[in-house]
Structures are given as structure tokens and as C-alpha cells.
Amino acid sequence: MPSDRTEQLRNIRDEVAHLKASPLYRERVKNKVYPVIGEGDHEAAIMFVGEAPGKNEAEQGRPFCGAAGKVLDELLASIAMPRNEVYITNIVKDRPPMNRDPNPEEFALYAPFLDRQINIIQPRVIATLGRFSMAYIMEKFGLGAHLVSISKIHGKEFAASASYGQIAVIPLFHPAVALYKQSSKADMLEDFKILQKFRK
Ligand code: URA
């Protein structure tokens, strides 16, 4: 029997699959690719939130399975955190064409699905990957006053109240940054250490 959480997450998957209202839906059909809903433990203590799927992700229907995903895997391995113990998703569930940043309308259209994923999985920590998800999650949880450049607050822990209890929001650099700025890797490795204490 699927758990209640699994059932609710399936509903989200089905709704996104039929999201014809999205301009990215047409791109998905045209390119014969998939939406990327999220994957991992439905009872995860830690949820990672990226921005939007890239080419590899849309082809496979899985988050962070391309070059940035390799970096994320390395960062998880550095703290001996198995990928299947966390939940990984994005704000936007379809790939924007030409790898452009999602636009405000796209964020607004898909964010309610992320909000529901958060309420279903009820993570104790939301680790944002990159500035877009940092901004969305911090605003959502009333942390807007602390929202400054990611270079100032990466790896810091912010306490917030979710509908289901107290959580920590931790802004992290997007793993893709390490692909063009090798020197950022050391900061990322250091930042990931803070996640260790939230292991189930
Ligand atoms: N970048 C993201 O923000 N999300 C992915 O799933 C892959 C790359």
C-alpha cells in the first residue's frame, strides 16, 4: 500500500504532467522530454530545492542528474549522506528553453506544487540551491528581511516556522557554480557540513 505521502506526491506528479496552462508544457511536448517532479525519501529530514531542470534532467525526468548533479552527489558523499535519504526537487518542474532562467510567471505557476511538496514531506531543513530558490523559500517563510546576496549568507542557518513545526532554512550555492568557478568548491564542502546534524 502506498503511504499517504506517496499518494499525495503522485497526485502532484499527475497534475504537473497535465499542466497545459504552462508555456513550458508545449516545450516539453515538442522536445519529447519529461517534467521533473522530485525524488528521494518521502519522509526526508532534508529537502534540497533547486531552480529548474536542465537538459539531462528533462530527458530523464530526474532532478540533478547532469553535471550539476554530479557535484551535488560529491557534496552529499563528502558528509556520507546517501542521496536516497534526502528529497531533491526544484521550484519549476519543466525545463525552460535554452537553459534560460525561469521567468516570474513560471515561478508563480509552479511554486504551489513545491509548497505542497514541502507540506507533504515536512522536512526539518530546507536547503536551497542557488539564489532563486533562496529568495523564494526565504520570502515564503518570512525571512525576507535577511535576504541579501548569497555570497553573504550561504551555509548559514535561519530558523523559521512551517505549518507543521519549526524548520531550518539553509541557503547553499547552486552546485553548477563549481563547474565554472572551481574555487567555490571548498566553500560548498564547508557549507554542507552543517547538514550533518540533521540526519535522521
Ligand atoms: N539545476 C537545477 O536547478 N535543478 C536541476 O534539477 C538541475 C540543474
Side-chain angles (χ1 to χ4, degrees):
M1 260 268 287
S3 75
D4 198 37
R5 291 183 186 200
T6 301
E7 195 69 48
Q8 292 179 64
L9 290 165
R10 276 190 194 154
N11 291 340
I12 292 178
R13 180 197 63 191
D14 293 345
E15 286 173 45
V16 173
H18 297 102
L19 195 65
K20 294 188 180 153
S22 170
L24 299 179
Y25 176 90
R26 286 188 286 282
E27 291 289 320
R28 186 210 297 169
V29 172
K30 187 176 85 195
N31 299 319
K32 297 193 173 63
V33 293
Y34 301 102
V36 178
I37 311 300
E39 71 178 13
D41 185 353
H42 296 173
E43 315 254 333
I46 303 174
M47 178 187 276
F48 289 94
V49 180
E51 175 184 317
K55 187 168 184 290
N56 287 290
E57 286 76 20
E59 281 170 3
Q60 293 188 40
R62 295 184 53 222
F64 286 94
C65 62
K70 278 214 177 74
V71 178
L72 179 60
D73 288 347
E74 260 180 66
L75 294 165
L76 288 169
S78 75
I79 53 166
M81 178 93 63
R83 186 168 160 135
N84 62 8
E85 248 183 48
V86 301
Y87 192 84
I88 306 174
T89 187
N90 291 298
I91 309 179
V92 172
K93 312 300 190 194
D94 279 297
R95 180 187 180 224
M98 317 290 284
N99 283 344
R100 66 161 168 74
D101 291 335
N103 61 39
E105 291 72 34
E106 289 158 356
F107 280 124
L109 192 58
Y110 288 91
F113 295 107
L114 172 64
D115 294 347
R116 282 164 61 192
Q117 287 172 305
I118 293 170
N119 281 325
I120 295 166
I121 295 170
Q122 306 192 354
R124 287 161 52 218
V125 185
I126 301 180
T128 58
L129 299 170
R131 64 198 166 92
F132 288 105
S133 62
M134 171 184 80
Y136 178 72
I137 293 290
M138 288 186 71
E139 295 282 2
K140 171 180 165 64
F141 287 105
L143 297 169
H146 300 278
L147 195 49
V148 289
S149 153
I150 194 165
S151 59
K152 296 216 168 65
I153 53 174
H154 65 93
K156 292 204 163 87
E157 187 181 329
F158 296 90
S161 294
S163 58
Y164 54 87
Q166 279 299 110
I167 62 163
V169 172
I170 302 179
L172 298 171
F173 285 123
H174 195 288
V177 173
L179 300 172
Y180 56 85
K181 191 171 166 225
Q182 261 298 321
S183 59
S184 61
K185 190 76 157 290
D187 283 337
M188 292 185 185
L189 288 164
E190 195 54 38
D191 288 351
F192 261 64
K193 290 182 187 160
I194 198 173
L195 296 175
Q196 274 167 318
K197 66 178 178 193
F198 296 104
R199 257 190 104 158
K200 280 202 288 185

